[in-house]
Amino acid sequence: MIAVLGASGRSGATLCRALDQPFRAVVRDAAKWQALGIAAPHAVADLRDEGALSAALAGATTIISCAHARHIPAILAAAPPGARFVFMGSTRRHSRWPDDHGNGVRAGEAAFLASGRPGVLLHPTMIYGAEGEDNVQRLAALMRRLPVLPLPGGGGSLVQPIHQADVTRCLVAASSRANAAPEVTIIAGPEPLPYRAFCAEVARAAGIPPRAVLPIPASLLMALSPITRILPFLPRIGAEEIRRLTEDKAFDITAMRATLGVTPIPLAEGLKRTFC
């Protein structure tokens, strides 16, 4: 029996709609789950409540968690002894600027590896294409409002976004792995590209003329970022997001292809699906 944690979130709900075998959704908010209209049994449990979580996971042979990786220690403790796992992490764990998100992923990864229990921890890059996601949609909204696009360093840092459909395929493939020890796999789009080129691809897919790029020092953009909180016509952008735009996020996906059998779709195709 499969148990899906975080089933009412974006990745979790997309996975649940794609699963072709029985599963039990484990959610914190029953009303939010029921509003999705997915025909599957569910259990309600807060991941910080070990008793409720143990009851929700009872009988599960495979546990797929789309919750934040900081919850991995609690899930391991509450799971049946013979269960295998698929966890969602983030390539944020590789950022050179630690934050709560990345530190939580690193702690979860360490707990999983130390447990010796079978399964796979997937570290996706930026995910786009899910219903309600605010990565490319927010970027498109920004470009609709600005005649030029101010980018730190001219947008030369590399990104390698992955479409939600490929994330789902990786989750399903990982759940079928027969590995006896914990594995960690990075999942990403087919190839990295400069952020300015990514913005141009998003613009074209959204029906917007690609914006000219205005190179601006990251420190200046970070200092100005609070303005987005008071200007209603601009999407909110935090200083930490701007800082992360200055580091390359390019990754080798050999393991994704070889062990999961997933070849990611090209960015142009993924964006076409996103804005169709």
Side-chain angles (χ1 to χ4, degrees), residues 12-135:
T14 305
L15 170 66
C16 289
R17 290 190 175 101
L19 284 173
D20 60 0
Q21 53 190 303
F23 67 91
R24 177 193 305 151
V26 180
V27 297
R28 186 171 57 180
D29 186 334
K32 183 178 179 181
W33 167 253
Q34 291 165 348
L36 294 173
I38 300 173
H42 72 278
V44 177
D46 190 309
L47 298 184
R48 296 166 295 185
D49 184 336
E50 184 175 349
L53 186 56
S54 294
L57 297 178
T61 54
T62 299
I63 296 169
I64 306 176
S65 174
C66 296
H68 193 284
R70 70 169 64 94
H71 298 293
I72 288 177
I75 297 167
L76 291 169
R84 60 179 297 105
F85 303 88
V86 179
F87 294 113
M88 280 270 285
S90 169
T91 52
R92 185 86 66 84
R93 61 97 55 234
H94 293 291
S95 175
R96 65 180 183 268
W97 290 297
D99 61 4
D100 288 343
H101 183 101
N103 288 338
V105 175
R106 280 187 282 270
E109 178 184 298
F112 179 46
L113 293 175
S115 75
R117 300 184 71 174
V120 182
L121 169 59
L122 301 176
H123 286 317
T125 53
M126 181 182 73
I127 301 171
Y128 72 100
E131 182 178 350
E133 63 90 4
D134 61 356
N135 290 318

Side-chain angles (χ1 to χ4, degrees), residues 115-182:
S115 75
R117 300 184 71 174
V120 182
L121 169 59
L122 301 176
H123 286 317
T125 53
M126 181 182 73
I127 301 171
Y128 72 100
E131 182 178 350
E133 63 90 4
D134 61 356
N135 290 318
V136 299
Q137 300 290 354
R138 184 173 54 159
L139 177 57
L142 179 66
M143 289 188 287
R144 287 189 178 99
R145 290 165 171 78
L146 297 178
V148 296
L149 192 59
L151 293 178
S157 297
L158 299 175
V159 292
Q160 197 171 347
I162 182 170
H163 192 274
Q164 179 66 63
D166 289 329
V167 174
T168 300
R169 292 166 63 207
C170 288
L171 288 167
V172 172
S175 70
S176 300
R177 289 275 295 153
N179 54 304

Side-chain angles (χ1 to χ4, degrees), residues 247-259:
E247 66 177 344
D248 287 336
K249 293 175 280 292
F251 299 94
D252 182 357
I253 58 170
T254 300
M256 172 184 172
R257 290 189 169 108
T259 64

Side-chain angles (χ1 to χ4, degrees), residues 130-275:
E131 182 178 350
E133 63 90 4
D134 61 356
N135 290 318
V136 299
Q137 300 290 354
R138 184 173 54 159
L139 177 57
L142 179 66
M143 289 188 287
R144 287 189 178 99
R145 290 165 171 78
L146 297 178
V148 296
L149 192 59
L151 293 178
S157 297
L158 299 175
V159 292
Q160 197 171 347
I162 182 170
H163 192 274
Q164 179 66 63
D166 289 329
V167 174
T168 300
R169 292 166 63 207
C170 288
L171 288 167
V172 172
S175 70
S176 300
R177 289 275 295 153
N179 54 304
E183 294 180 352
V184 178
T185 302
I186 288 175
I187 59 174
E191 57 188 8
L193 74 165
Y195 189 74
R196 59 177 173 265
F198 170 65
C199 292
E201 291 282 350
V202 170
R204 281 188 282 267
I208 307 166
R211 299 311 194 217
V213 171
L214 178 63
I216 293 183
S219 57
L220 178 57
L221 284 174
M222 291 169 67
L224 294 174
S225 64
I227 295 175
T228 63
R229 300 174 188 170
I230 59 176
L231 296 178
F233 59 89
L234 288 179
R236 291 189 178 186
I237 302 173
E240 69 285 350
E241 294 178 85
I242 294 170
R243 183 171 61 178
R244 286 196 298 272
L245 288 178
T246 65
E247 66 177 344
D248 287 336
K249 293 175 280 292
F251 299 94
D252 182 357
I253 58 170
T254 300
M256 172 184 172
R257 290 189 169 108
T259 64
L260 300 178
V262 175
T263 297
I265 61 176
L267 177 64
E269 172 61 25
L271 291 173
K272 181 180 178 180
R273 296 185 192 183
T274 301
F275 289 100

